[in-house]
Amino acid sequence: MIEAKFRIVTPLFMGGADQSTPELRVPGIKGALRFWWRALAWNWCKGDLSKIRDLEGRIFGSTEHGQSGVIMDLCGANAKFTNESFFEKRQGLMYLGYGPIEKGKLTRDYLKPPVDAILRIRIRPKDGKAPEAPDESTDQLSKALIAMGLFGGLGSRSRRGFGSFNLIELNVDGKKKFSCPEDRSALEREIKGLFEALNLHEGLPEYTAFSSKTNVCIFNHEDKDPLELLDKVGISMQEYRLGRRKKPRGISSASRFERDTALAKKIALGEQVNGHPRRLFFGLPHNYHFKDLEKNLEIRGTNHDRRASPLLIHVQMLNDDEYTAIAALMPARFLPPGEKILMRATEEKKKDGGRRMSVDSSSFPESRVNLDTEEAEELMVIKDFLKQTPWVKVI
């Protein structure tokens, strides 16, 4: 049996059975664990998608394979939901929490950290007999839990550090396999050890997975308050994406992304363009607002409204009163082959009460351009963010 003691160290936006009351639930944890299992399986199966699907179906269940090959249960959870405004005067948290936090207000309740619980996983007996020794599924699930504990989270905005899942201790049949790193050096050793044992598969993954192109960085700060730390991460990301360069106070700074903004403005004015903004590789949709034109610009795939960010942020506990952050850049196919980038303007109009509403129309300007495939594979704009801000490369 696998027993994983874990702690959620940042606010967790996870829907309960009725979706209106936050709740820590096995299906949500199982879904996240499945994601990290797939991230590792790309290497175990050397990119063979049919083999990955078959193994995944046997462990987690599928229409072809029937019920899951494992039984999971959760115990000891101390989760309590609240609507306290943890983000007041913290611009970075509001930036990273967009969705659950809009215009300075919570749009949903959340589970207040720290949330401690124990996840138990048993292999379902075959022919009425449980395996006498840990099998391949046990080993793979243990490694997926470790990956999830170092890089992942649960619930909404988990790719931006919310619901950060920290593995405190992992035991398999009573034997300790992992314990939470106590300092920065131990954390680096755990990350390097995981990757060295993985024998990374070359080439660009078809989905978000670890590969030879993966980069892992640790934030160059520790803090006793995980929210204060995540706020610093959010501020650094917001400043980079807005294009501000570091300058002494009082001196105006040139934008890092003047070309992106100029190109977007051309489309809003009705001009056709041949390229797209580089910043869209942080994730789609990638939107602009031009106050002077009273127009917005929406940028997405022609067939996909959303593309999750390839950059995953995780807040990591080093001991009971110190935290740092981990960034995992996991390049994968950005959009299906042949899909273009759609950039379409929408117009703002004032409704009753002065509230601005976006009005969509097929007659508004739009451009459809090819994806910059070289940039999509290398994600240089995100690598530049990690170089320009307080991150230190580990992998």
Side-chain angles (χ1 to χ4, degrees), residues 163-181:
S164 282
F165 178 95
N166 280 226
L167 192 59
I168 305 296
E169 188 173 295
L170 179 69
N171 294 294
V172 177
D173 293 338
K175 296 180 181 178
K176 187 182 291 185
K177 297 292 183 182
F178 176 91
S179 57
C180 183

Side-chain angles (χ1 to χ4, degrees), residues 140-160:
Q140 291 182 357
L141 287 167
S142 298
K143 288 173 178 171
L145 277 164
I146 292 172
M148 184 167 149
L150 292 172
F151 308 112
L154 302 175
S156 298
R157 305 303 289 173
S158 59
R159 291 194 182 212
R160 289 293 178 259

Side-chain angles (χ1 to χ4, degrees), residues 222-237:
E222 285 90 40
D223 202 297
K224 295 183 181 303
D225 181 351
L227 290 179
E228 195 65 32
L229 178 80
L230 189 58
D231 185 48
K232 290 187 176 80
V233 172
I235 289 170
S236 71
M237 182 177 286

Side-chain angles (χ1 to χ4, degrees), residues 17-165:
D18 63 1
Q19 292 295 307
S20 61
T21 304
E23 185 182 352
L24 186 64
R25 303 180 68 224
V26 168
I29 298 173
K30 188 176 181 180
L33 184 59
R34 195 167 182 159
F35 171 89
W36 289 104
W37 180 90
R38 281 197 294 256
L40 295 165
W42 175 258
N43 303 278
W44 294 331
C45 300
K46 301 187 184 305
D48 185 335
L49 292 177
S50 61
K51 189 174 180 181
I52 293 169
R53 288 193 194 97
D54 182 58
L55 275 173
E56 183 179 352
R58 292 177 192 276
I59 295 174
F60 293 97
S62 70
T63 53
E64 180 183 350
H65 297 84
Q67 66 180 349
S68 171
V70 297
I71 302 168
M72 297 187 186
D73 63 81
L74 194 65
C75 62
N78 64 346
K80 294 180 180 178
F81 71 88
T82 180
N83 59 2
E84 293 174 16
S85 298
F86 61 87
F87 46 83
E88 286 185 357
K89 297 182 180 178
R90 287 170 164 171
Q91 188 62 37
L93 289 176
M94 286 190 274
Y95 176 73
L96 295 177
Y98 181 75
I101 308 168
E102 290 185 15
K103 298 180 179 177
K105 294 183 180 179
L106 276 171
T107 61
R108 53 194 290 192
D109 294 349
Y110 64 93
L111 295 178
K112 186 176 181 178
V115 177
D116 292 309
I118 299 173
L119 177 69
R120 293 196 174 105
I121 305 176
R122 288 175 289 131
I123 305 299
R124 194 179 292 278
K126 294 178 181 175
D127 302 324
K129 296 180 180 178
E132 294 181 355
D135 63 0
E136 187 180 39
S137 299
T138 303
D139 183 57
Q140 291 182 357
L141 287 167
S142 298
K143 288 173 178 171
L145 277 164
I146 292 172
M148 184 167 149
L150 292 172
F151 308 112
L154 302 175
S156 298
R157 305 303 289 173
S158 59
R159 291 194 182 212
R160 289 293 178 259
F162 287 94
S164 282
F165 178 95

